[in-house]
Amino acid sequence: MAKIDLNHIRHAYGPNPQSPKDYALREVHHSWDDGGAYALLGPSGCGKTTLLNIISGLIHPSHGQLLFDGQDVTNLSTQERNIAQVFQFPVIYDTMSVYDNLAFPLRNRGVPEADIDRKVRETLDMIDLADWAKKKARGLTADQKQKISLGRGLVRSDVNAILFDEPLTVIDPHMKWMLRSQLKQLHRRFGYTMVYVTHDQTEALTFAQKVVVMYEGEIVQIGTPEELFERPKHTFVGYFIGSPGMNVMPVKLAGAIASLGSHRIELPAPAKLGDATKVELGIRPEYVRLGRQGMPVTIAKVEDIGRHKIVRARLEGQELAIIVGEGQEIPTEPHVAFDPRGINIYADSWRVEG
Amino acid sequence: MEKTWNNKAWFMVLPVLLLVAFSAVIPLMTVVNYSVQDTFGNNQFFWAGAEWFEEILHSDRFHAALGRNLFFSLVILLIEIPLGIVIALNMPRRGWGVPVCLVLMSLPLLIPWNVVGTIWQVFGRVDIGLLGRTLEALGINYNYVQNPVHAWITVFIMDVWHWTSLVVLLCYAGLVSIPDAFYQAAKIDGASRWAVFRYIQLPKMNRVLLIAVLLRFMDSFMIYTEPFVVTGGGPGNSTTFLSIDLVKMAVGQFDLGPAAAMSIIYFLIILLMSWVFYTVMTNYDAER
């Protein structure tokens, strides 16, 4: 297991990158802890798979260095980096048995057969496939195949990190949940450094200790699921995490008072803006209180999704989503108030720290 | 409800029936007809029973031609299949090289068979052919017209030149269908080049390879035009394959009875081989 340092890494697929637009990965400079479980979360094309492939060595970054435990591995091949990777679609060796699939990476490295047998049996127990050892790998279900892919990484005790590239894409929904909890269990028991790429926020939030949110080739926030929810650093994180996403409205700011149209909203503390051109107020639907007092809104529709209701309303011409309890009544003359705990102020899309 | 019986619809089938009759049934039955009778001209036929079949099955000439044919098929399969795989493995996966390679590979397949024969017939001639002259200049006494070994080598090389592309194209189609993730996983697992071939590429290719073997076997077993143009079956009988022998017997010697019996036996051999291949392939699929 290793600590991963990403040292000013940038990557462009084209040969002569000129403007920041040419970079698939703009600038990543972070340090990931040994034994951490990280999820790279972001929409398609945000650079998360590029970053993962840079870590695994399938892509050589245009700029910057990659360090494993302080050692520069930027120019090492995938094999020399000693990592494991699980791909979107299960990669198994069709003609081999489950046992031979797991033994394959060890045999390629010339490990003595007795050690191979011990390691493979241990791994088979870890991934719950001990009963399937002698079966041909091609007859298995997608989730079992994905476990074999994972097992081929686990079988090498010295791997620096295990990388996952949207590994649950082809798995049935109820198996997804099982596999995810097994992954978490493995992580807790053996302390692997794990990096998990996904565009599914539920997957990221339930799997990882730290979620790395990426947007247009940049890391916009690294935080615990709670931090991402309560204090999104960038309006994109606000939109992307949560269902529905955060409400973001343009406001004018004077001291600790924000004006939204003709309404005045009191902030918990005055915000320092600098010379930002665009000031926005962000509040999650969970923190908007619907009642008979506050700012008047018009309600466009109510979506009942079982656990709660989502009210789609308009406030001063802005769309506003509100979450209300299942039993709560919707008043005939609806008004809203913002819970001060849930208010975030954004200057040029980045959160203003209080 | 009472069903109306109207058999007029059968007339609709008539055109196709006529077509099949003229193109397949009547010629085939003519052959069967000849194979069980003897004729001395003037359309006088005498019943011969299974005589011709016995004669053919016991004739050394037939055995020799069959042996040559099997040997030919075996050798070209042993050359074309591995060679085709090697070329397919080395073809580019992306970039401008792909269309160039594909066109180059398809060229031999587009040339009519008798033209292929003519090309090699001229190419190998000692007096005017590039190959013949070059070999002579190098001091190699090459003459496919007189030396049976040279004739065989020429026919082999010609067939390899003509048909390896087919194996290449089939294998290439199998190879490009392998997702990149497999190669990446193999790299991570530390697989050698040979292991990648043995455990990823070969398993993904083996279905197309079976088809390639089937096609090449059938084609080579029926080969006629190219060796006929190049060697005419000679020198002597050394490159006389079944089809060439059959034509010699039927058109050259006008022995219609034995020729008919021989074509039926020939046909049954091919039918048997096809059945074996088909069974092997379907069993293989069922196993998957």
Side-chain angles (χ1 to χ4, degrees):
Chain A
M1 295 302 111
K3 171 173 181 261
I4 302 173
D5 284 301
L6 305 156
N7 201 347
H8 295 286
I9 284 182
R10 281 193 285 163
H11 185 71
Y13 285 101
N16 282 314
Q18 305 291 333
S19 67
K21 263 199 304 189
D22 296 339
Y23 284 93
L25 206 60
R26 292 215 185 138
E27 165 107 21
V28 175
H29 184 70
H30 277 289
S31 181
W32 293 350
D33 299 334
D34 182 6
Y38 292 87
L40 299 183
L41 177 66
S44 301
C46 71
K48 54 192 195 301
T49 300
T50 307
L51 183 55
L52 192 78
N53 287 341
I54 285 173
I55 298 174
S56 68
L58 298 170
I59 293 177
H60 189 272
S62 320
H63 304 276
Q65 278 179 313
L66 182 74
L67 308 172
F68 283 177
D69 277 338
Q71 228 183 353
D72 188 352
V73 295
T74 321
N75 293 315
L76 293 187
S77 70
T78 305
Q79 198 183 333
E80 291 164 317
R81 286 185 196 190
N82 218 352
I83 45 98
Q85 186 161 356
V86 179
F87 296 89
Q88 195 166 0
F89 298 97
V91 175
I92 51 151
Y93 304 107
D94 279 343
T95 50
M96 295 187 204
S97 66
V98 173
Y99 182 97
D100 290 334
N101 256 279
L102 296 187
F104 188 63
L106 298 179
R107 288 188 180 140
N108 287 330
R109 287 169 172 79
V111 177
E113 205 54 41
D115 290 346
I116 293 179
D117 191 61
R118 188 175 48 80
K119 284 298 304 179
V120 170
R121 289 190 189 288
E122 268 175 40
T123 312
L124 281 169
D125 284 333
M126 275 160 77
I127 56 174
D128 264 348
L129 284 177
D131 300 341
W132 298 80
K134 295 277 163 261
K135 290 252 166 46
K136 281 265 187 215
R138 67 167 164 246
L140 305 187
T141 56
D143 55 292
Q144 287 171 321
K145 286 181 182 174
Q146 227 24 341
K147 283 201 219 169
I148 295 175
S149 306
L150 172 64
R152 281 205 314 271
L154 298 177
V155 79
R156 291 185 281 138
S157 41
D158 57 339
V159 284
N160 282 321
I162 304 177
L163 312 178
F164 299 86
D165 188 359
E166 307 193 19
L168 302 181
T169 311
V170 293
I171 312 293
D172 288 343
H174 70 286
M175 289 308 298
K176 270 187 191 179
W177 190 83
M178 292 244 316
L179 265 182
R180 213 158 50 213
S181 44
Q182 282 188 338
L183 273 183
K184 265 196 108 148
Q185 221 176 341
L186 283 175
H187 178 254
R188 267 201 299 271
R189 271 178 63 197
F190 301 100
Y192 298 106
T193 308
M194 289 182 169
V195 181
Y196 189 107
V197 163
T198 180
H199 58 245
D200 181 335
Q201 51 165 313
T202 327
E203 240 172 81
L205 298 174
T206 51
F207 167 80
Q209 299 162 319
K210 286 279 179 72
V211 178
V212 180
V213 183
M214 296 189 66
Y215 178 57
E216 289 187 339
E218 278 178 297
I219 293 180
V220 285
Q221 186 168 7
I222 298 183
T224 61
E226 197 197 347
E227 283 166 354
L228 295 181
F229 190 81
E230 301 286 345
R231 295 284 171 255
K233 267 194 187 161
H234 189 276
T235 48
F236 171 76
V237 181
Y239 291 130
F240 198 69
I241 298 205
S243 169
M246 191 163 72
N247 299 301
V248 178
M249 292 158 280
V251 289
K252 287 204 178 63
L253 213 61
I257 304 288
S259 358
L260 172 64
S262 58
H263 303 292
R264 289 157 60 81
I265 300 157
E266 267 187 61
L267 304 181
K272 297 179 211 67
L273 286 184
D275 50 0
T277 51
K278 191 173 71 173
V279 181
E280 287 159 311
L281 180 148
I283 184 158
R284 290 208 173 270
E286 287 81 355
Y287 289 104
V288 182
R289 306 277 171 253
L290 185 67
R292 290 177 211 286
Q293 266 139 47
M295 299 168 280
V297 291
T298 51
I299 291 177
K301 65 176 171 191
V302 178
E303 295 162 16
D304 192 335
I305 59 165
R307 289 164 291 155
H308 51 245
K309 289 185 241 184
I310 298 167
V311 178
R312 305 280 181 185
R314 290 186 87 78
L315 168 66
E316 290 285 326
Q318 299 290 321
E319 283 184 24
L320 183 73
I322 310 158
I323 289 183
V324 299
E326 192 57 21
Q328 195 184 330
E329 230 178 275
I330 291 160
T332 40
E333 272 173 35
H335 289 69
V336 293
F338 293 167
D339 187 335
R341 283 180 303 152
I343 293 177
N344 292 291
I345 295 295
Y346 295 91
D348 289 339
S349 301
W350 291 92
R351 183 166 179 272
V352 179
E353 305 292 338
Chain B
M1 206 181 97
E2 188 119 344
K3 239 181 188 171
T4 350
W5 285 97
N6 187 343
N7 281 328
K8 269 184 206 149
W10 286 109
F11 288 110
M12 303 290 188
V13 193
L14 207 61
V16 111
L17 216 68
L18 277 171
L19 221 75
V20 173
F22 274 102
S23 66
V25 180
I26 295 176
L28 187 70
M29 290 322 289
T30 317
V31 173
V32 173
N33 189 31
Y34 278 122
S35 73
V36 291
Q37 299 189 72
D38 197 0
T39 174
F40 301 105
N42 286 339
N43 273 338
Q44 281 189 296
F45 286 96
F46 304 91
W47 178 252
E51 225 172 275
W52 298 132
F53 289 93
E54 277 167 34
E55 191 186 311
I56 289 293
L57 286 174
H58 290 109
S59 102
D60 291 338
R61 180 177 158 183
F62 178 73
H63 292 164
L66 180 64
R68 281 192 287 268
N69 230 144
L70 288 172
F71 177 65
F72 176 73
S73 295
L74 183 74
V75 171
I76 62 110
L77 281 179
L78 284 179
I79 298 173
E80 286 173 17
I81 299 292
L83 185 64
I85 294 174
V86 169
I87 295 175
L89 286 174
N90 288 300
M91 265 167 68
R93 268 333 118 70
R94 44 183 70 88
W96 58 268
V98 175
V100 172
C101 283
L102 288 179
V103 168
L104 279 178
M105 283 297 141
S106 326
L107 273 180
L109 300 174
L110 296 173
I111 301 173
W113 298 1
N114 56 344
V115 176
V116 172
T118 313
I119 290 174
W120 281 84
Q121 202 260 352
V122 175
F123 189 46
R125 273 173 68 166
V126 193
D127 49 351
I128 54 167
L130 183 63
L131 177 70
R133 288 294 288 269
T134 311
L135 286 175
E136 204 185 23
L138 290 172
I140 298 163
N141 184 19
Y142 166 81
N143 190 333
Y144 68 83
V145 183
Q146 280 155 19
N147 187 323
V149 177
H150 294 174
W152 269 95
I153 292 174
T154 310
V155 175
F156 281 143
I157 294 177
M158 176 175 62
D159 199 79
V160 168
W161 178 84
H162 193 180
W163 288 112
T164 305
S165 312
L166 180 75
V167 182
V168 172
L169 293 177
L170 283 169
C171 289
Y172 187 71
L175 282 176
V176 293
S177 70
I178 303 175
D180 276 345
F182 277 80
Y183 295 112
Q184 295 171 348
K187 254 192 213 169
I188 289 167
D189 289 339
S192 62
R193 184 70 194 82
W194 165 252
V196 170
F197 173 70
R198 171 68 188 77
Y199 298 111
I200 296 174
Q201 293 172 322
L202 199 59
K204 294 279 171 191
M205 269 195 300
N206 59 12
R207 294 191 72 176
V208 284
L209 271 179
L210 259 172
I211 294 170
V213 170
L214 176 67
L215 285 176
R216 283 315 300 130
F217 177 79
M218 291 302 135
D219 264 355
S220 63
F221 204 69
M222 298 189 298
I223 191 161
Y224 174 76
T225 318
E226 302 114 298
F228 181 76
V229 173
V230 177
T231 64
N237 270 337
S238 59
T239 55
T240 300
F241 300 115
L242 282 175
S243 56
I244 296 178
D245 201 23
L246 182 64
V247 174
K248 267 187 195 170
M249 196 184 281
V251 183
Q253 301 158 224
F254 220 70
D255 283 337
L256 291 182
M262 185 176 162
S263 28
I264 288 174
I265 292 168
Y266 193 6
F267 171 67
L268 289 177
I269 292 173
I270 290 184
L271 202 65
L272 177 75
M273 295 287 187
S274 305
W275 178 78
V276 169
F277 270 107
Y278 180 78
T279 317
V280 168
M281 279 169 78
T282 42
N283 280 356
Y284 176 78
D285 274 353
E287 196 186 294
R288 287 194 72 122

